[in-house]
């Protein structure tokens, strides 16, 4: 497990206990901030993209009927934030999966299998609107 500590909220800093990550924070311009720093949505997007790609790769080791994930595969995660209809703010995630050389049907099967394994997909299921597009 990893531990991180934030100070100052969206206009502060975040640092992992091991010091491997140490970032200044600033709200994005969409939220009225300067955009001159990192924000939680960037960190969530980076984490989800990396984890989900890893989950798709792992899925192919568990099910030989799945197409292999090519070395040049990518996942792009776009995280949006905005007001909820009830109260507070909510997130939306759009994942774009690129599996060069893999046909769309096989790529969709790999993408679906990745969601079954990915901890981010489990955490967001039923809580955040997540769309997955095969590019």
């Amino acid at each position: 497990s990893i531990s991180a500590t934030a100070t100052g909220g969206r206009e502060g800093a975040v640092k992992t206990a091991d010091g491997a990550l140490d970032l200044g924070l600033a709200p994005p311009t969409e939220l009225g901030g300067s955009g001159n720093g990192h924000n939680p949505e960037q960190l969530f997007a980076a984490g989800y993209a990396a984890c989900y790609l890893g989950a798709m790769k792992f899925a192919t080791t568990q099910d030989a009927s799945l197409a292999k994930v090519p070395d040049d595969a990518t996942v792009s995660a776009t995280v949006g934030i905005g007001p909820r209809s009830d109260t507070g703010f909510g997130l939306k995630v759009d994942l774009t999966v690129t599996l060069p050389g893999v046909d769309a049907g096989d790529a969709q099967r790999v993408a679906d299998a990745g969601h079954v394994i990915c901890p981010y997909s489990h955490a967001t299921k039923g809580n955040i609107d997540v769309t997955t597009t095969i590019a």
Side-chain angles (χ1 to χ4, degrees), residues 96-124:
T96 301
V97 175
T98 304
L99 302 176
V102 179
D103 75 52
D106 287 339
Q108 186 63 58
R109 288 187 63 233
V110 171
D112 292 343
H115 281 302
V116 172
I117 293 169
C118 180
Y120 280 74
S121 295
H122 286 284
T124 59

